[in-house]
PDB file of all heavy atoms in Angstrom:
ATOM      1  N   GLY P1274    -176.920 144.986  14.788  1.00 98.00           N
ATOM      2  CA  GLY P1274    -177.627 146.144  14.166  1.00 98.00           C
ATOM      3  C   GLY P1274    -176.642 147.017  13.525  1.00 98.00           C
ATOM      4  O   GLY P1274    -175.663 146.595  12.684  1.00 98.00           O
ATOM      5  N   ILE P1275    -176.582 148.339  13.841  1.00 98.00           N
ATOM      6  CA  ILE P1275    -175.639 149.306  13.335  1.00 98.00           C
ATOM      7  C   ILE P1275    -174.340 149.345  14.344  1.00 98.00           C
ATOM      8  O   ILE P1275    -173.440 150.113  13.951  1.00 98.00           O
ATOM      9  CB  ILE P1275    -176.248 150.710  13.173  1.00 98.00           C
ATOM     10  CG1 ILE P1275    -176.670 151.384  14.423  1.00 98.00           C
ATOM     11  CG2 ILE P1275    -177.306 150.589  12.038  1.00 98.00           C
ATOM     12  CD1 ILE P1275    -177.013 152.862  14.255  1.00 98.00           C
ATOM     13  N   GLY P1276    -174.479 148.656  15.400  1.00 98.00           N
ATOM     14  CA  GLY P1276    -173.070 148.504  16.234  1.00 98.00           C
ATOM     15  C   GLY P1276    -173.184 149.383  17.520  1.00 98.00           C
ATOM     16  O   GLY P1276    -172.057 149.419  18.161  1.00 98.00           O
ATOM     17  N   ALA P1277    -174.334 149.774  17.875  1.00 97.00           N
ATOM     18  CA  ALA P1277    -174.391 150.725  19.088  1.00 97.00           C
ATOM     19  C   ALA P1277    -173.901 149.974  20.333  1.00 97.00           C
ATOM     20  O   ALA P1277    -173.098 150.475  21.031  1.00 97.00           O
ATOM     21  CB  ALA P1277    -175.910 151.244  19.176  1.00 97.00           C
ATOM     22  N   LEU P1278    -174.458 148.727  20.512  1.00 98.00           N
ATOM     23  CA  LEU P1278    -174.025 147.954  21.824  1.00 98.00           C
ATOM     24  C   LEU P1278    -172.689 147.302  21.537  1.00 98.00           C
ATOM     25  O   LEU P1278    -171.812 147.366  22.421  1.00 98.00           O
ATOM     26  CB  LEU P1278    -175.166 147.022  22.046  1.00 98.00           C
ATOM     27  CG  LEU P1278    -174.940 145.964  23.173  1.00 98.00           C
ATOM     28  CD1 LEU P1278    -174.779 146.788  24.542  1.00 98.00           C
ATOM     29  CD2 LEU P1278    -176.169 145.149  23.383  1.00 98.00           C
ATOM     30  N   THR P1279    -172.412 146.882  20.274  1.00 98.00           N
ATOM     31  CA  THR P1279    -171.111 146.144  20.079  1.00 98.00           C
ATOM     32  C   THR P1279    -170.061 147.151  20.326  1.00 98.00           C
ATOM     33  O   THR P1279    -169.027 146.716  20.994  1.00 98.00           O
ATOM     34  CB  THR P1279    -171.081 145.899  18.396  1.00 98.00           C
ATOM     35  OG1 THR P1279    -172.436 145.702  17.918  1.00 98.00           O
ATOM     36  CG2 THR P1279    -170.101 144.937  18.098  1.00 98.00           C
ATOM     37  N   GLU P1280    -170.105 148.420  19.932  1.00 97.00           N
ATOM     38  CA  GLU P1280    -169.068 149.430  20.240  1.00 97.00           C
ATOM     39  C   GLU P1280    -168.832 149.460  21.784  1.00 97.00           C
ATOM     40  O   GLU P1280    -167.601 149.591  22.163  1.00 97.00           O
ATOM     41  CB  GLU P1280    -169.520 150.809  19.695  1.00 97.00           C
ATOM     42  CG  GLU P1280    -168.605 151.904  20.050  1.00 97.00           C
ATOM     43  CD  GLU P1280    -169.104 153.173  19.462  1.00 97.00           C
ATOM     44  OE1 GLU P1280    -170.188 153.773  19.994  1.00 97.00           O
ATOM     45  OE2 GLU P1280    -168.420 153.785  18.743  1.00 97.00           O
ATOM     46  N   GLN P1281    -169.905 149.670  22.553  1.00 97.00           N
ATOM     47  CA  GLN P1281    -169.768 149.663  23.933  1.00 97.00           C
ATOM     48  C   GLN P1281    -169.015 148.470  24.604  1.00 97.00           C
ATOM     49  O   GLN P1281    -168.140 148.586  25.474  1.00 97.00           O
ATOM     50  CB  GLN P1281    -170.990 149.969  24.769  1.00 97.00           C
ATOM     51  CG  GLN P1281    -171.667 151.184  24.284  1.00 97.00           C
ATOM     52  CD  GLN P1281    -170.931 152.458  24.499  1.00 97.00           C
ATOM     53  OE1 GLN P1281    -170.160 152.586  25.359  1.00 97.00           O
ATOM     54  NE2 GLN P1281    -171.328 153.464  23.687  1.00 97.00           N
ATOM     55  N   LEU P1282    -169.323 147.345  24.108  1.00 98.00           N
ATOM     56  CA  LEU P1282    -168.720 146.025  24.495  1.00 98.00           C
ATOM     57  C   LEU P1282    -167.262 145.996  24.007  1.00 98.00           C
ATOM     58  O   LEU P1282    -166.423 145.635  24.890  1.00 98.00           O
ATOM     59  CB  LEU P1282    -169.516 144.783  23.791  1.00 98.00           C
ATOM     60  CG  LEU P1282    -170.946 144.656  24.339  1.00 98.00           C
ATOM     61  CD1 LEU P1282    -171.698 143.723  23.428  1.00 98.00           C
ATOM     62  CD2 LEU P1282    -170.992 144.170  25.717  1.00 98.00           C
ATOM     63  N   ALA P1283    -166.999 146.476  22.881  1.00 98.00           N
ATOM     64  CA  ALA P1283    -165.617 146.377  22.341  1.00 98.00           C
ATOM     65  C   ALA P1283    -164.753 147.168  23.165  1.00 98.00           C
ATOM     66  O   ALA P1283    -163.458 146.908  23.204  1.00 98.00           O
ATOM     67  CB  ALA P1283    -165.698 146.774  20.785  1.00 98.00           C
ATOM     68  N   ARG P1284    -165.228 148.290  23.703  1.00 98.00           N
ATOM     69  CA  ARG P1284    -164.320 149.081  24.484  1.00 98.00           C
ATOM     70  C   ARG P1284    -163.949 148.497  25.803  1.00 98.00           C
ATOM     71  O   ARG P1284    -162.996 148.949  26.359  1.00 98.00           O
ATOM     72  CB  ARG P1284    -165.079 150.539  24.783  1.00 98.00           C
ATOM     73  CG  ARG P1284    -165.280 151.489  23.574  1.00 98.00           C
ATOM     74  CD  ARG P1284    -166.073 152.714  23.983  1.00 98.00           C
ATOM     75  NE  ARG P1284    -166.221 153.460  22.791  1.00 98.00           N
ATOM     76  CZ  ARG P1284    -167.139 154.472  22.766  1.00 98.00           C
ATOM     77  NH1 ARG P1284    -167.814 154.851  23.732  1.00 98.00           N
ATOM     78  NH2 ARG P1284    -167.203 155.200  21.574  1.00 98.00           N
ATOM     79  N   LYS P1285    -164.581 147.514  26.086  1.00 98.00           N
ATOM     80  CA  LYS P1285    -164.342 146.981  27.484  1.00 98.00           C
ATOM     81  C   LYS P1285    -163.816 145.483  27.440  1.00 98.00           C
ATOM     82  O   LYS P1285    -162.965 145.004  28.251  1.00 98.00           O
ATOM     83  CB  LYS P1285    -165.437 146.936  28.401  1.00 98.00           C
ATOM     84  CG  LYS P1285    -165.988 148.284  28.735  1.00 98.00           C
ATOM     85  CD  LYS P1285    -166.224 148.300  30.140  1.00 98.00           C
ATOM     86  CE  LYS P1285    -166.290 149.812  30.760  1.00 98.00           C
ATOM     87  NZ  LYS P1285    -167.235 149.939  31.817  1.00 98.00           N
ATOM     88  N   ALA P1286    -164.332 144.727  26.425  1.00 98.00           N
ATOM     89  CA  ALA P1286    -163.917 143.210  26.387  1.00 98.00           C
ATOM     90  C   ALA P1286    -162.643 142.969  25.587  1.00 98.00           C
ATOM     91  O   ALA P1286    -162.266 143.856  24.902  1.00 98.00           O
ATOM     92  CB  ALA P1286    -165.229 142.621  25.589  1.00 98.00           C
ATOM     93  N   LYS P1287    -162.185 141.818  25.656  1.00 98.00           N
ATOM     94  CA  LYS P1287    -161.064 141.285  24.903  1.00 98.00           C
ATOM     95  C   LYS P1287    -161.459 141.084  23.506  1.00 98.00           C
ATOM     96  O   LYS P1287    -160.943 141.584  22.608  1.00 98.00           O
ATOM     97  CB  LYS P1287    -160.540 140.025  25.564  1.00 98.00           C
ATOM     98  CG  LYS P1287    -159.319 139.488  24.886  1.00 98.00           C
ATOM     99  CD  LYS P1287    -158.629 138.759  25.964  1.00 98.00           C
ATOM    100  CE  LYS P1287    -157.226 138.451  25.651  1.00 98.00           C
ATOM    101  NZ  LYS P1287    -156.557 137.822  26.906  1.00 98.00           N
ATOM    102  N   LYS P1288    -162.573 140.478  23.300  1.00 98.00           N
ATOM    103  CA  LYS P1288    -162.986 140.253  21.934  1.00 98.00           C
ATOM    104  C   LYS P1288    -164.582 140.025  21.968  1.00 98.00           C
ATOM    105  O   LYS P1288    -165.179 139.600  22.801  1.00 98.00           O
ATOM    106  CB  LYS P1288    -162.437 138.833  21.516  1.00 98.00           C
ATOM    107  CG  LYS P1288    -162.825 138.488  19.933  1.00 98.00           C
ATOM    108  CD  LYS P1288    -161.925 137.401  19.496  1.00 98.00           C
ATOM    109  CE  LYS P1288    -162.470 137.140  18.076  1.00 98.00           C
ATOM    110  NZ  LYS P1288    -161.736 135.963  17.300  1.00 98.00           N
ATOM    111  N   VAL P1289    -165.238 140.573  20.815  1.00 98.00           N
ATOM    112  CA  VAL P1289    -166.544 140.478  20.578  1.00 98.00           C
ATOM    113  C   VAL P1289    -166.740 139.689  19.310  1.00 98.00           C
ATOM    114  O   VAL P1289    -166.339 140.151  18.286  1.00 98.00           O
ATOM    115  CB  VAL P1289    -167.205 141.807  20.434  1.00 98.00           C
ATOM    116  CG1 VAL P1289    -168.760 141.720  20.352  1.00 98.00           C
ATOM    117  CG2 VAL P1289    -167.012 142.760  21.785  1.00 98.00           C
ATOM    118  N   LEU P1290    -167.720 138.693  19.401  1.00 98.00           N
ATOM    119  CA  LEU P1290    -168.059 137.816  18.320  1.00 98.00           C
ATOM    120  C   LEU P1290    -169.545 138.201  18.065  1.00 98.00           C
ATOM    121  O   LEU P1290    -170.364 137.846  18.854  1.00 98.00           O
ATOM    122  CB  LEU P1290    -167.856 136.495  18.570  1.00 98.00           C
ATOM    123  CG  LEU P1290    -168.085 135.423  17.529  1.00 98.00           C
ATOM    124  CD1 LEU P1290    -167.090 135.622  16.256  1.00 98.00           C
ATOM    125  CD2 LEU P1290    -167.840 133.991  18.009  1.00 98.00           C
ATOM    126  N   ALA P1291    -169.899 138.850  16.908  1.00 98.00           N
ATOM    127  CA  ALA P1291    -171.294 139.260  16.750  1.00 98.00           C
ATOM    128  C   ALA P1291    -171.872 138.621  15.507  1.00 98.00           C
ATOM    129  O   ALA P1291    -171.334 138.661  14.439  1.00 98.00           O
ATOM    130  CB  ALA P1291    -171.262 140.842  16.566  1.00 98.00           C
ATOM    131  N   PHE P1292    -173.108 138.126  15.758  1.00 98.00           N
ATOM    132  CA  PHE P1292    -173.879 137.399  14.687  1.00 98.00           C
ATOM    133  C   PHE P1292    -175.090 138.288  14.209  1.00 98.00           C
ATOM    134  O   PHE P1292    -175.991 138.578  15.060  1.00 98.00           O
ATOM    135  CB  PHE P1292    -174.473 136.077  15.182  1.00 98.00           C
ATOM    136  CG  PHE P1292    -173.193 135.079  15.560  1.00 98.00           C
ATOM    137  CD1 PHE P1292    -172.827 135.036  16.897  1.00 98.00           C
ATOM    138  CD2 PHE P1292    -172.696 134.263  14.596  1.00 98.00           C
ATOM    139  CE1 PHE P1292    -171.845 134.182  17.183  1.00 98.00           C
ATOM    140  CE2 PHE P1292    -171.615 133.474  14.932  1.00 98.00           C
ATOM    141  CZ  PHE P1292    -171.212 133.458  16.220  1.00 98.00           C
ATOM    142  N   GLU P1293    -175.014 138.606  12.983  1.00 98.00           N
ATOM    143  CA  GLU P1293    -176.102 139.456  12.409  1.00 98.00           C
ATOM    144  C   GLU P1293    -176.671 138.761  11.235  1.00 98.00           C
ATOM    145  O   GLU P1293    -175.967 138.509  10.213  1.00 98.00           O
ATOM    146  CB  GLU P1293    -175.445 140.823  12.034  1.00 98.00           C
ATOM    147  CG  GLU P1293    -176.472 141.804  11.381  1.00 98.00           C
ATOM    148  CD  GLU P1293    -177.734 142.113  12.094  1.00 98.00           C
ATOM    149  OE1 GLU P1293    -177.733 142.465  13.197  1.00 98.00           O
ATOM    150  OE2 GLU P1293    -178.765 141.752  11.464  1.00 98.00           O
ATOM    151  N   ILE P1294    -178.075 138.718  11.076  1.00 98.00           N
ATOM    152  CA  ILE P1294    -178.649 138.026   9.969  1.00 98.00           C
ATOM    153  C   ILE P1294    -178.766 138.989   8.743  1.00 98.00           C
ATOM    154  O   ILE P1294    -178.854 138.426   7.626  1.00 98.00           O
ATOM    155  CB  ILE P1294    -180.060 137.530  10.442  1.00 98.00           C
ATOM    156  CG1 ILE P1294    -180.528 136.455   9.549  1.00 98.00           C
ATOM    157  CG2 ILE P1294    -181.096 138.744  10.600  1.00 98.00           C
ATOM    158  CD1 ILE P1294    -181.809 135.735  10.094  1.00 98.00           C
TER     159      ILE P1294
END
Side-chain angles (χ1 to χ4, degrees):
I1275 63 167
L1278 180 56
T1279 326
E1280 174 183 63
Q1281 303 298 335
L1282 293 166
R1284 286 177 183 167
K1285 297 235 168 144
K1287 189 155 198 170
K1288 181 166 178 179
V1289 182
L1290 186 61
F1292 296 93
E1293 174 55 62
I1294 199 171

